[in-house]
Amino acid sequence: MATIGSINSYSQKSAGLKPSARKNSPSFGASYSQKITEGLHHAKAIKHMKSLEWLKGEIGGILITALGTGLVAPIFIGFNPFVKAPKNATPEQKEENKNTKLYTAMRQPISAVLAIIFQASVQKYIDKGLDFVFNNKNISKYAALKVDQQELNTKTYIQSNVKKAMKQEGKTKPSWISALFSKDAKAKRNAYIEELDRRVSKTQKDQLEKVAQRFQETGKINIGERHLDFKTTSELVNKQIDEYIKDAKALQKTPEAIAKHLDRAEVLINNESHLKQIFSNIPKEQVTSKVQELLSKESNEDVKKLLQEILDRPEDLRYSRVQRTLQRIDSIKDMCNGTFSRENYRTALLDRNKVLSDRIVELTAARITDPKSANEATIKNAIQKIARQCNFENIDGITSSVLRDTDTFDHNLGKITKKIYNDIAKGYKKVVENNYKSWNQFTKIGVGVFITLPITCTALNWVYPRFMDIFFPKLSGKKEASQPNQNKIGGNK
């Protein structure tokens, strides 16, 4: 996305990288996001919540439902105020009503345990079975194209293969129990997980690039010996165009934003010499204390506001903000051809918007108007048009300054063309994932309704009365049944 590209541009510029270095540097990544997250005051809570992500799946849903069934439901059943003994009931009747509610309530924990045993345990094998069917090229070629994952395997299938490969290399994951009691085991477990994730990510990336490369060569998204229909491929192309248009619109400045930029530009240029003097001597390691010192001595209200804005940033980003302020002064002057004025800067910002507007118009025109009649040539031609509008090779001035350092636009035509095919392949991957997810869910519903649910109910009807007879004979009435000649409570006295 262009917005992320802009953030990346900011982080790279603040590090003092040259334009050429920025073009070869990685995009806004996990390490940078991690630093920002760790700087938040509720970082520990976020980390804890992230550790519970596995509850989002089917097994998590079953466990949460079972928890409610086994712990919460019995309370409302056993102490239901609306189920009462008859009016003017005897103490024996009241006791019987109480025991009946408790007996019924005890059914819920047993039901929850059986649900976990029979329903949760089968989920893993359903996933493995479906993975085998839809990822194995010898079988998946008979499946519908939109669920055939032989080219872009499911993450679980890749994980399974990577684990097998690592096991053959002698690499195994220590159990979580051993990790609790041994730092060495914990370190090895974390290292194993990190390598597993790295290998899985690399495999996913390699598979996607292979699909994109064949797509670029043939004009078709190939799936084994078959290919995705051109109508669906055209729709993916059009959808990607919409994404690029959205990115371009995000780069445009609204009238309100332009007004704010003009005001800020005046502050920076009017205080240029002073800002360069105080900011040029701020060491990275002491940025917070130095800015606080400058703020305490500053008399200029505009500069004080700038200094306070720096302190309001997370600590890891304060030095970057200092550097960015200095670079922004130079950028403003460059946009005004060396001579700043409010009128010149406004014109430059409006020209910037026009550059993006022109690209948006041409990208819109590149859409495939009749996907039903599309073919390889139609798709290749559309992508060539997109590439030309996302490219700014041999273009200088305002156009280059607007489009550089973004993910959507690039000065290298070959590079941006390859990226477009890759982005469309990602769109195809989402289509397959969504269709596979539907098949997965329908399969699990079918197995649940016709297999595990009947088994669970049958097991519950067999286990429950026997469990109650053994552990709660008073509630089950076993004592009374086993001693028929003994007078019950409330009998003749």
Side-chain angles (χ1 to χ4, degrees), residues 63-94:
L63 292 177
I64 292 172
T65 302
L67 186 66
T69 301
L71 299 181
V72 181
I75 297 173
F76 293 95
I77 295 173
F79 302 95
N80 189 345
F82 299 104
V83 179
K84 301 177 182 179
K87 190 176 182 180
N88 301 322
T90 63
E92 292 77 12
Q93 289 175 316
K94 292 180 179 179

Side-chain angles (χ1 to χ4, degrees), residues 67-128:
L67 186 66
T69 301
L71 299 181
V72 181
I75 297 173
F76 293 95
I77 295 173
F79 302 95
N80 189 345
F82 299 104
V83 179
K84 301 177 182 179
K87 190 176 182 180
N88 301 322
T90 63
E92 292 77 12
Q93 289 175 316
K94 292 180 179 179
E95 181 70 15
E96 183 180 358
N97 176 70
K98 176 183 175 183
N99 289 342
T100 299
K101 290 194 291 183
L102 292 175
Y103 183 85
T104 305
M106 288 299 297
R107 186 180 180 90
Q108 303 308 306
I110 307 301
S111 175
V113 171
L114 292 175
I116 294 174
I117 293 174
F118 290 106
Q119 293 180 32
S121 61
V122 79
Q123 300 295 313
K124 176 181 178 181
Y125 298 100
I126 293 175
D127 287 330
K128 281 184 173 291

Side-chain angles (χ1 to χ4, degrees), residues 120-277:
S121 61
V122 79
Q123 300 295 313
K124 176 181 178 181
Y125 298 100
I126 293 175
D127 287 330
K128 281 184 173 291
L130 292 176
D131 274 352
F132 180 75
V133 170
F134 292 110
N135 291 273
N136 187 317
K137 64 180 181 180
N138 296 322
I139 302 175
S140 64
K141 63 183 180 181
Y142 301 108
L145 278 169
K146 292 183 181 180
V147 291
D148 185 348
Q149 303 226 87
Q150 63 173 289
E151 299 292 345
L152 298 173
N153 300 148
T154 60
K155 186 175 182 179
T156 50
Y157 186 78
I158 295 174
Q159 284 176 332
S160 178
N161 289 337
V162 171
K163 286 179 181 178
K164 290 177 182 177
M166 292 177 69
K167 186 175 182 180
Q168 290 178 350
E169 297 170 10
K171 298 178 180 179
T172 57
K173 180 173 70 173
S175 67
W176 63 271
I177 296 177
S178 62
L180 288 175
F181 300 99
S182 170
K183 289 184 178 181
D184 184 56
K186 183 178 180 180
K188 288 182 178 179
R189 180 180 173 87
N190 291 337
Y192 177 93
I193 294 173
E194 287 178 4
E195 183 172 357
L196 173 65
D197 291 341
R198 181 183 58 78
R199 291 194 186 191
V200 169
S201 296
K202 184 179 184 304
T203 302
Q204 289 177 313
K205 181 182 177 182
D206 291 345
Q207 288 183 347
L208 188 67
E209 288 180 350
K210 181 180 177 182
V211 170
Q213 183 178 352
R214 291 186 65 193
F215 180 27
Q216 185 171 355
E217 293 169 353
T218 64
K220 298 181 288 187
I221 295 180
N222 297 278
I223 309 158
E225 297 178 355
R226 303 182 291 175
H227 66 82
L228 192 66
D229 63 279
F230 293 120
K231 177 179 179 295
T232 303
T233 306
S234 298
E235 291 169 350
L236 290 173
V237 172
N238 287 343
K239 187 174 181 180
Q240 195 57 51
I241 290 174
D242 292 340
E243 290 297 316
Y244 294 152
I245 290 174
K246 188 188 301 182
D247 291 349
K249 287 181 177 179
L251 287 171
Q252 289 183 310
K253 304 296 183 185
T254 64
E256 295 79 9
I258 289 176
K260 290 181 179 179
H261 276 279
L262 290 173
D263 292 340
R264 177 52 61 92
E266 285 189 324
V267 170
L268 294 176
I269 297 299
N270 291 339
N271 296 280
E272 178 183 358
S273 58
H274 181 47
L275 289 172
K276 287 186 174 181
Q277 179 184 359

Side-chain angles (χ1 to χ4, degrees), residues 10 14-16 279-288 291 310 313-327:
Y10 155 62
S14 63
F279 281 3
S280 59
N281 296 319
I282 296 180
K284 184 176 182 179
E285 297 76 13
Q286 303 173 15
V287 60
T288 300
V291 172
I310 294 172
R313 294 281 176 177
E315 188 171 357
D316 289 346
L317 302 180
R318 289 170 187 166
Y319 185 74
S320 298
R321 184 58 181 260
V322 170
Q323 297 300 306
R324 184 181 177 224
T325 300
L326 296 174
Q327 291 161 358

Side-chain angles (χ1 to χ4, degrees), residues 272-315:
E272 178 183 358
S273 58
H274 181 47
L275 289 172
K276 287 186 174 181
Q277 179 184 359
I278 62 175
F279 281 3
S280 59
N281 296 319
I282 296 180
K284 184 176 182 179
E285 297 76 13
Q286 303 173 15
V287 60
T288 300
S289 60
K290 188 64 177 178
V291 172
Q292 288 173 338
E293 180 185 344
L294 291 171
L295 180 60
S296 66
K297 298 178 180 179
E298 186 58 55
S299 58
N300 186 309
E301 290 299 322
D302 289 331
V303 176
K304 286 176 70 175
K305 184 178 179 181
L306 292 175
L307 293 170
Q308 187 58 55
E309 287 177 357
I310 294 172
L311 292 175
D312 290 340
R313 294 281 176 177
E315 188 171 357

Side-chain angles (χ1 to χ4, degrees), residues 31 114 175-176 181 223 225 308 337 344 388 413 421 463 468:
S31 60
L114 292 175
S175 67
W176 63 271
F181 300 99
I223 309 158
E225 297 178 355
Q308 187 58 55
N337 295 320
N344 288 344
R388 284 197 295 270
L413 181 61
Y421 279 102
V463 170
M468 295 301 290

